[in-house]
Amino acid sequence: QKEVEQDPGPLSVPEGAIVSLNCTYSNSAFQYFMWYRQYSRKGPELLMYTYSSGNKEDGRFTAQVDKSSKYISLFIRDSQPSDSATYLCAMTLLQTGANNLFFGTGTRLTVIP
Amino acid sequence: NAGVTQTPKFRVLKTGQSMTLLCAQDMNHEYMYWYRQDPGMGLRLIHYSVGEGTTAKGEVPDGYNVSRLKKQNFLLGLESAAPSQTSVYFCASSWTSGRYGELFFGEGSRLTVL
């Protein structure tokens, strides 16, 4: 079983729709949760970062963590064609070390004008 | 404002050939990483470095070697390329360990091994 599971999609929505992207994980020790956005033929870039449970909002984006269910979500409101990208969830343990960042496989999103 | 730069961006190799991918960062980051990205597998850590002169193995290190002779550079070598090493390779760097989340990635190097 993978540490982090993410539906690969692809997901296609009309412009203005609300998008929900999700990941589940198996290791209850994960404490830091991130969403990266990767445009086609580019490297990933950090979009949102949360610590432990709860919600975090940044403009049209909301990251949600439910540690009891081992489930994280990214919501995109009023989706735009520029949001078309692959979204990768990532999470890490509460300990030092550069080798403990676990990525999901990514969900490919297309927002149709 | 270059950030993380990878060279070359594309390369085609024959089985058994060797090559080196170069990563350079201008942000004075201590930590540097090499990942490979394959369809359905996501990003997998090959090797990483926590400072100049240090390297360590990640999740999938076999068939690769790395060196960090200068703080700003991290080299990934393939001594004898195999078709299974066909992939997109990403270099990344960060200020601190991965638990703070912000890795800065390069644009990727696409390698095909025939």
Side-chain angles (χ1 to χ4, degrees), chain A residues 13-73:
Chain A
V13 301
E15 183 175 352
I18 296 173
V19 176
S20 173
L21 304 168
N22 311 295
C23 288
T24 59
Y25 61 94
S26 57
N27 190 341
S28 58
F30 286 136
Q31 294 285 349
Y32 294 83
F33 303 91
M34 291 135 271
W35 287 93
Y36 280 80
R37 178 175 60 195
Q38 185 177 17
Y39 290 115
S40 180
R41 297 192 172 271
K42 298 290 185 182
E45 56 182 352
L46 184 66
L47 184 63
M48 302 247 345
Y49 157 67
T50 57
Y51 170 66
S52 195
S53 286
N55 291 1
K56 185 174 183 178
E57 190 173 316
D58 184 2
R60 296 184 295 109
F61 298 89
T62 300
Q64 192 172 76
V65 175
D66 181 351
K67 291 192 71 182
S68 62
S69 301
K70 299 195 187 95
Y71 189 88
I72 69 170
S73 300

Side-chain angles (χ1 to χ4, degrees), chain A residues 12 20 68 74 85 102 104 108:
Chain A
S12 185
S20 173
S68 62
L74 177 71
F102 294 87
R108 189 170 153 196

Side-chain angles (χ1 to χ4, degrees), chain A residues 2 34 36 38 41-42, chain B residues 37 40 99 101 103 107 110:
Chain A
K2 289 183 181 178
M34 291 135 271
Y36 280 80
Q38 185 177 17
R41 297 192 172 271
K42 298 290 185 182
Chain B
Q37 187 175 41
R99 72 184 175 130
L103 300 183
E107 293 201 339
R110 283 164 177 75

